[in-house]
Amino acid sequence: MAALPVTVIPAPLPVTLPVAGSDAAFPVRRVYCVGRNYADHAIEMGHDPLREPPFFFQKNPDNLVTDGHFPYPPLSSNVHFEVELVMALQAGGKDIAAEQALDCVWGYGVGIDFTRRDLQDGLKKAGRSWEAAKAFEASAPVSALVPAAMIGHPQQGAIWLDVNGARKQSGDLKQMIWKLPEIVVELSKLFTLAPGDIIMTGTPAGVGPIQRGDILSCGVEGVATLDVRVV
Ligand code: MN
């Protein structure tokens, strides 16, 4: 392996995610997110789910947090939760064939795509990009990852999120408009995917606001659960 260059400032630490039942971590390269991938959520956001191709945006690797805390972000008074199945890639490429797509997936977890909805609404109206609404500090709490070798590739099963014990989001993975292999196929038309890439696969209906002090509990049946406190 080539020696790392001496750096002129301290090098940022690599981002890793914990792996359930293991001391070894999963190293993160990029974080992709799928927009409007459940019909009922597309409808609640005012869109026609049947006529829109998938679209993607990104968060930053260091937006992923695993300490169970979400600090309420500045410059927003309407931050929404979006519970999502998380895919973690062990292989990549471009123009990946559907038959090979799931072979690229190392494992899965559950995460929350926190969104500054008020900022996002303004950015949408202005035709501007979504970074400030989506890719902010700690905006993606995630669970430990579970290898597909243990649980397979989830095609169905409940996905839910509770706030302070009250169910807010309740869906099923089989409601995804673009299924897991299709997400990999479509994303790999736009980007060269690589080991370490994380994909957040979209949220079912029921998104809503949070307050400081809220306890969020979410999960995907047969994959993982995650508890997050808003601070
Ligand atoms: Mn989302």
Side-chain angles (χ1 to χ4, degrees):
M1 198 167 92
L4 292 172
V6 173
T7 57
V8 294
I9 60 168
L13 290 172
V15 175
T16 61
L17 294 178
V19 170
S22 171
D23 292 331
F26 183 90
V28 177
R29 192 184 79 118
R30 293 181 184 169
V31 181
Y32 296 102
C33 304
V34 187
R36 294 175 209 136
N37 199 28
Y38 290 73
D40 52 356
H41 173 62
I43 291 165
E44 77 177 348
M45 298 302 288
H47 299 274
D48 181 343
L50 299 178
R51 286 191 294 145
E52 297 188 8
F55 74 93
F56 305 97
F57 57 92
Q58 284 171 264
K59 292 187 186 246
N60 301 298
D62 71 339
N63 296 152
L64 299 171
V65 291
T66 57
D67 68 349
H69 291 87
F70 173 67
Y72 201 98
L75 296 177
S76 178
S77 56
N78 190 22
V79 176
H80 277 200
F81 50 79
E82 299 185 356
V83 63
E84 312 204 356
L85 174 70
V86 171
M87 310 168 79
L89 302 192
Q90 62 183 351
K94 50 187 172 183
D95 297 322
I96 295 167
E99 304 74 46
Q100 270 82 56
L102 289 182
D103 295 339
C104 296
V105 184
W106 181 86
Y108 296 90
V110 63
I112 303 174
D113 167 17
F114 276 117
T115 304
R116 291 197 272 214
R117 194 71 76 200
D118 42 3
L119 269 62
Q120 187 192 33
D121 289 344
L123 294 166
K124 282 180 181 174
K125 284 196 187 88
R128 294 178 180 155
S129 74
W130 287 7
E131 270 87 3
K134 288 289 195 179
F136 56 91
E137 270 51 63
S139 60
V142 291
S143 70
L145 299 177
V146 186
M150 274 178 57
I151 60 166
H153 298 280
Q155 314 279 357
Q156 58 180 33
I159 177 169
W160 72 90
L161 183 143
D162 296 345
V163 178
N164 304 324
R167 180 110 335 157
K168 299 292 185 181
Q169 290 191 270
S170 183
D172 193 290
L173 299 180
K174 68 186 179 205
Q175 297 167 326
M176 282 186 184
I177 298 168
W178 299 89
K179 309 301 182 192
L180 301 180
E182 295 172 321
I183 292 170
V184 172
V185 167
E186 294 299 318
L187 201 50
S188 75
K189 293 177 181 175
L190 286 163
F191 304 100
T192 302
L193 302 180
D197 287 349
I198 296 290
I199 306 173
M200 301 185 75
T201 57
T203 197
V207 301
I210 52 163
Q211 310 296 331
R212 285 183 183 83
D214 284 348
I215 305 284
L216 281 62
S217 301
C218 60
V220 176
E221 183 183 358
V223 177
T225 61
L226 171 68
D227 294 333
V228 175
R229 183 184 183 87
V230 183
V231 295

